[in-house]
Amino acid sequence: MSEATLPARTGSRPPPWRDVRVLRVVAQAVVIAATIVVLWYLWGNLTTNLTRQGIRTDWGFIDQPIRFAIPDVANSASLPFWRAMLVGIKNTAVVAFVGIALATLLGILVGVLRLSQNWLARRAASIYVEALRNTPVLVIILILFLAVVLRLPGDIATAPEWGGITVISNRGIWLPWLEGRDGAGSYWMVVAAAIVATVAIAWWRTRRFAATGIPHHRFRWGTAAFVAVLVVGYAALGAPFGLSLPAKTLFGASGGIKLNTAYTALLIALTIYTASHIAEIVRGSILAVPKGQTEAARAVGLTEFQRMRLVILPQALRIMMPPLANQYLNLTKNSSLAVAIGYYEVTRISFIATSQGFPAPQVFAFLMAVYLAFSLSISAVSNLINRRLMLPTR
Amino acid sequence: MADQPRTNQRARPDASTPSEEQGIVRAVAETHEGIAVGPQEEPRPPLREVGAREWVGQNLFASAGQTVLTVVFGLLLAWVAYKTFRFVFITGRWRVIEVNLTTFMLGRFPRAELWRPVATALGLATFVPLWLGRTARTVQELAVGEAQRDWQVTWSRMWPFLVLVGGVLSFTRTITPTLLVAAAVGVGVVAYWSGDRLAIRAGGAVDLAALVGIVASFYVPLFTGGFGWSNWGGVLMTLFAAAVGIGVSFPIGIALALGRRSDLPGIRALCVAYIELIRGVPLVTLLLMAFFVVGFLVPPDAGRPSLVARALVVLVAFTAAYVAEIVRGGLQSVPKGQVEAAQAIGLSPWKVTRRVVLPQALRNVIPALVGQFISLFKDTSLLAIIGILELLRVAQVVTDQPAFRAQGLQAETLAFAAFIYWVLAYAMSKESQRLERRLGLGER
């Protein structure tokens, strides 16, 4: 019973199999080692299988011509693989960018309509949301492509023209578009000058407001300056842009801008599907702004529009931004469904290249890297915006 | 009676039945002459009756702008309703669905062996309602507020299924499917009722019976006798892929979420890398990899796994990353004090997670998990791209049959597929909203 029989506790450590500090290191080492072993095993299988089947394992293929045609791209069959992928990346970016813009507009419209005072408008908006949100996006894409766009008139001569400004057929859809003429290049300088002038004027108005308290009207002043510079530049350069209207030819139309059928179907489908999700986000975020804010805004005498613009929307925007960025990501990723309908974005090009004998593992590694880059850039932009919108807190 | 503390009135252990208890409360309330006793509700403000004219005035024609909106949306809705009606009842050529209804439901399942899926359907019609009936009470206990059991709630939950069953049965050409559905509904109602009755006395046994029953009624008819998922298709394949996807990915997702929240940097980095890699890439790309690449990853001498198996692996791997992020949200919502309290009473780290953190975390994310399930259910349509004969693929291939080729029947077949997807997804989303309300999430 003397102290000597008790083990000396101070400074001693438990045996290693019960020491948390040891266990932590061991656990991590075991998990990482197991992961490495599994990956190494899969890698071994992969290389063995590839060499046995005579598939190349290097990256030399990216300089080889793709030997298949991409619609609306000249000499596409002789493009090297990496150039074809760039075309695909561009097409993905186009449909994602336009789709995001359109889906945001439509989504905000439907979301606000769902909160409308008008019963019918509310009903219509909720039918829209419920109908689209619960249907797989691939089904919407296929319906629009196979049952709508491809069913448009195939005969150019009888295709609808809508007052002579469009040509709508199942060979493509032609819309009016701006066409550069002489001096179009210099006009971009004018546009840049207009932007600089607008920013300068807005800054000057803000300074004046801060100094004197006179209402700044930044928006009116800025818009006026922007339009003025553009109009003066347009006149000075002798009409550098003109409206180009599509005109029917034997197998299509010339002039205007041509929308590929698959692109049209994909764009509309992604827009209406994503808009149904955005509408719910918009509605939820507006509802999430505390009611007291509305009441307070009314009490200080703001008009309906001012209340929306100055009180409700800035706060709703803060709530809206993260889920909205998620929807933008989803839209970008969903654009890969074009593989089913023949719009040559990056997934479809990879898919066809692989079917033509390009080595699948490398092609898909490339493709995954492309999508990761898209995802990362969208999250980076949204994080930037989030930081700007965030409430300054201690 | 009068000396008893008021609060005890409601908690009397001998107040066994609700009616008796209410009777006591009312009696006590009367003896106290106006003193509020028990759960008397505050008198609600009287509801102002809004007449039809007034309602129309407020909701449709409040101002000139509102009138314009009403006219515009009235015309729009009327046009959509007219077009839909014409397509469904007049212009639609639905013979392609009538002829291929079995294909839409089961794919290429050998027609001589149809008793197998029928046996599965009847088995599921027994054991799923049994389990639902058994959990109905548990859910009710978890729920806040009154249990609503009136016919309106039942109707709002049931109409999508009625529309679905009615819609599908309207394409049958014999009476047998209708009789089978009637039998399944009859069995299901009896099973639900028995589950509800047995819940208290034999809850655990019912759980076990339901689990064994569901697995057996799936496994025995559909996997024995040389059958497997390569024979399946249509709605059967769609539902199976969705169920496997969520069921298998759920534990993996929990593990990944715990790993991502772990304070061991090595494990955390692995989990983060996996989750972000998968979430940054579209499902189509991963499915195409299942088609082209996954076959290379098995040992050279082993046979290639079937396409369905490869696709299921990808679905699970994909869903697990999303489940992990949902569960992580739930883990973050558990207050830190819960962990500290659990540690203070000496629970081991494993028990802290298993008994304290996870139950609360998962309860908070049930609606989000249901949402993930819905989105997985919709995403199974992507299996069509790699050529698996699920519902959407059936809708595409039947238009190539000799009898229906080149007639432009895609509108009809895709609309039918969309109808099935929509009804099921809509019913699930409504159910998840209901669950969210009943669990009182976002209110506490």
Side-chain angles (χ1 to χ4, degrees):
Chain A
M1 282 293 106
S2 68
E3 296 88 12
T5 59
L6 287 171
R9 287 240 162 202
T10 42
S12 79
R13 295 172 57 170
W17 59 89
R18 281 199 293 167
D19 187 339
V20 174
R21 275 168 293 183
V22 176
L23 284 180
R24 286 169 57 105
V25 175
V26 170
Q28 293 185 67
V30 166
V31 170
I32 291 173
T35 313
I36 290 174
V37 166
V38 168
L39 288 179
W40 179 75
Y41 171 72
L42 293 177
W43 178 255
N45 285 340
L46 181 70
T47 46
T48 323
N49 280 319
L50 288 179
T51 42
R52 274 206 200 171
Q53 297 184 22
I55 299 170
R56 62 191 303 169
T57 49
D58 62 340
W59 286 84
F61 69 92
I62 65 168
D63 285 324
Q64 287 180 355
I66 52 170
R67 295 195 302 273
F68 57 85
I70 303 173
D72 303 324
V73 176
N75 294 332
S76 52
S78 60
L79 285 181
F81 178 80
W82 65 273
R83 288 280 304 276
M85 287 300 266
L86 281 187
V87 172
I89 291 170
K90 193 207 87 189
N91 284 345
T92 297
V94 165
V95 79
F97 187 77
V98 180
I100 284 172
L102 294 179
T104 309
L105 290 179
L106 185 60
I108 290 177
L109 178 70
V110 176
V112 171
L113 279 178
R114 281 207 75 175
L115 296 170
S116 158
Q117 196 190 337
N118 189 304
W119 181 82
L120 259 182
R122 229 158 44 215
R123 274 275 104 160
S126 77
I127 289 175
Y128 171 88
V129 168
E130 292 296 352
L132 287 169
R133 211 164 55 130
N134 292 313
T135 312
V137 60
L138 181 58
V139 174
I140 301 176
I141 292 175
L142 285 177
I143 288 180
L144 274 173
F145 185 63
L146 296 173
V148 178
V149 175
L150 288 191
R151 294 261 190 99
L152 292 171
D155 185 9
I156 292 291
T158 58
E161 285 186 273
W162 286 3
I165 57 166
T166 62
V167 175
I168 296 175
S169 76
N170 71 5
R171 290 157 196 253
I173 290 163
W174 283 266
L175 299 176
W177 196 245
L178 288 178
E179 173 192 51
R181 302 202 183 117
D182 293 343
S186 355
Y187 195 68
W188 289 115
M189 311 278 284
V190 178
V191 173
I195 292 172
V196 171
T198 309
V199 171
I201 294 230
W203 180 76
W204 166 64
R205 293 304 303 173
T206 313
R207 285 278 309 258
R208 249 186 94 67
F209 170 67
T212 63
I214 300 168
H216 53 62
H217 295 308
R218 273 184 301 219
F219 188 72
R220 280 180 220 175
W221 278 81
T223 316
F226 190 70
V227 172
V229 176
L230 285 191
V231 169
V232 170
Y234 190 82
L237 283 173
F241 281 93
L243 199 60
S244 157
L245 296 178
K248 286 179 178 176
T249 59
L250 203 51
F251 294 113
S254 62
I257 187 169
K258 181 192 174 190
L259 306 182
N260 186 309
T261 45
Y263 170 76
T264 314
L266 181 70
L267 179 67
I268 297 176
L270 290 180
T271 302
I272 60 178
Y273 176 78
T274 312
S276 71
H277 286 83
I278 292 181
E280 283 299 273
I281 294 171
V282 170
R283 168 169 161 266
S285 320
I286 292 179
L287 285 180
V289 175
K291 212 170 165 219
Q293 298 284 328
T294 306
E295 290 162 357
R298 287 218 180 102
V300 297
L302 297 186
T303 66
E304 286 295 288
F305 179 74
Q306 283 174 326
R307 177 168 64 81
M308 249 329 188
R309 174 166 138 35
L310 298 172
V311 179
I312 306 295
L313 278 185
Q315 299 184 64
L317 208 59
R318 198 173 292 138
I319 307 169
M320 218 182 286
M321 210 44 223
L324 211 54
N326 227 345
Q327 289 304 322
Y328 293 164
L329 271 174
N330 282 346
L331 189 147
T332 310
K333 288 191 277 176
N334 282 338
S335 72
S336 60
L337 293 174
V339 76
I341 60 167
Y343 174 61
Y344 280 69
E345 45 69 71
V346 67
T347 303
R348 185 167 175 84
I349 288 178
S350 312
F351 169 66
I352 295 185
T354 313
S355 321
Q356 305 270 330
F358 280 87
Q362 291 97 310
V363 170
F364 280 98
F366 195 134
L367 184 62
M368 283 182 78
V370 169
Y371 276 111
L372 285 178
F374 271 117
S375 300
L376 286 180
S377 28
I378 292 182
S379 350
V381 171
S382 89
N383 283 344
L384 207 72
I385 296 174
N386 263 341
R387 220 170 306 144
R388 284 297 300 272
L389 289 177
M390 219 162 45
L391 274 182
T393 48
R394 277 154 290 170
Chain B
M1 268 310 243
D3 294 331
Q4 273 185 342
R6 291 193 316 212
T7 47
N8 278 352
Q9 289 298 333
R10 203 169 154 78
R12 276 164 57 116
D14 59 341
S16 48
T17 62
S19 58
E20 194 185 328
E21 190 186 38
Q22 274 169 14
I24 291 165
V25 170
R26 199 174 308 123
V28 173
E30 278 159 14
T31 54
H32 277 255
E33 290 177 343
I35 300 171
V37 180
Q40 270 191 342
E41 281 185 19
E42 268 185 47
R44 291 191 183 157
L47 283 175
R48 205 167 63 84
E49 289 289 318
V50 178
R53 273 186 84 104
E54 201 182 343
W55 185 89
V56 168
Q58 281 174 356
N59 288 286
L60 297 177
F61 303 105
S63 66
Q66 293 294 321
T67 308
V68 172
L69 269 187
T70 302
V71 171
V72 168
F73 281 101
L75 288 176
L76 194 69
L77 283 176
W79 181 76
V80 170
Y82 169 74
K83 282 284 181 186
T84 314
F85 179 84
R86 257 182 72 86
F87 177 65
V88 172
F89 293 104
I90 299 169
T91 60
R93 293 160 292 169
W94 300 105
R95 224 179 77 77
V96 60
I97 313 280
E98 281 175 22
V99 173
N100 290 299
L101 193 63
T102 317
T103 315
F104 269 101
M105 295 300 132
L106 302 169
R108 291 205 191 91
F109 205 88
R111 297 298 188 262
E113 301 272 346
L114 283 187
W115 66 269
R116 288 170 180 275
V118 167
T120 302
L122 286 178
L124 292 181
T126 311
F127 292 109
V128 173
L130 182 72
W131 185 74
L132 286 179
R134 178 258 185 281
T135 50
R137 277 174 194 245
T138 323
V139 174
Q140 236 160 49
E141 279 160 20
L142 276 177
V144 291
E146 292 172 75
Q148 290 183 313
R149 275 198 159 177
D150 51 47
W151 64 270
Q152 265 185 332
V153 175
T154 315
W155 170 245
S156 75
R157 295 172 68 185
M158 284 301 147
W159 76 260
F161 296 103
L162 290 180
V163 169
L164 178 68
V165 171
V168 171
L169 284 183
S170 71
F171 290 107
T172 56
R173 292 187 293 184
T174 59
I175 191 78
T176 326
T178 314
L179 292 179
L180 279 174
V181 168
V185 169
V187 170
V189 168
V190 172
Y192 185 88
W193 182 79
S194 338
D196 194 27
R197 283 291 131 139
L198 290 172
I200 299 167
R201 252 178 298 154
V206 174
D207 275 344
L208 190 68
L211 184 70
V212 171
I214 289 172
V215 172
S217 54
F218 222 93
Y219 184 80
V220 175
L222 291 179
F223 278 102
T224 55
F227 286 93
W229 51 43
S230 308
N231 302 97
W232 306 356
V235 175
L236 174 63
M237 183 54 120
T238 297
L239 291 179
F240 177 75
V244 167
I246 201 81
V248 180
S249 65
F250 186 57
I252 304 177
I254 292 179
L256 282 169
L258 289 175
R260 192 171 182 167
R261 296 259 296 164
S262 146
D263 52 358
L264 307 178
I267 291 174
R268 194 171 57 224
L270 277 180
C271 292
V272 170
Y274 176 81
I275 292 171
E276 295 304 328
L277 189 71
I278 296 282
R279 276 164 36 97
V281 177
L283 179 56
V284 190
T285 308
L286 294 173
L287 284 173
L288 288 175
M289 285 182 75
F291 191 76
F292 287 115
V293 183
V294 173
F296 290 127
L297 298 178
V298 295
D301 306 318
R304 264 192 162 198
S306 74
L307 184 58
V308 179
R310 283 181 274 160
L312 287 179
V313 167
V314 163
L315 270 189
V316 167
F318 178 79
T319 311
Y322 285 81
V323 169
E325 283 300 273
I326 292 172
V327 174
R328 182 166 74 111
L331 292 175
Q332 279 170 352
S333 75
V334 177
K336 211 166 169 235
Q338 295 284 327
V339 180
E340 290 163 352
Q343 283 167 344
I345 60 172
L347 295 188
S348 69
W350 167 246
K351 275 196 176 156
V352 172
T353 308
R354 170 79 187 77
R355 301 266 174 216
V356 179
V357 178
L358 267 186
Q360 300 185 54
L362 292 183
R363 181 179 169 283
N364 284 344
V365 294
I366 290 172
L369 285 171
V370 177
Q372 185 56 40
F373 185 73
I374 298 172
S375 109
L376 175 69
F377 169 72
K378 292 192 293 170
D379 280 346
T380 56
S381 60
L382 307 195
L383 296 179
I385 289 178
I386 57 171
I388 291 176
L389 195 70
E390 47 66 73
L391 178 55
L392 181 60
R393 183 81 187 155
V394 173
Q396 286 179 284
V397 295
V398 290
T399 57
D400 287 336
Q401 289 169 335
F404 303 108
R405 188 177 295 154
Q407 296 174 21
L409 290 172
Q410 284 95 350
E412 282 82 358
T413 59
L414 287 173
F416 183 65
F419 167 73
I420 295 179
Y421 280 117
W422 184 84
V423 172
L424 289 175
Y426 177 79
M428 280 191 276
S429 82
K430 283 288 154 203
E431 201 63 18
S432 120
Q433 285 168 15
R434 205 177 135 266
L435 198 65
E436 199 167 341
R437 272 199 304 277
R438 296 198 67 189
L439 292 174
L441 297 176
E443 289 171 24
R444 297 184 173 178

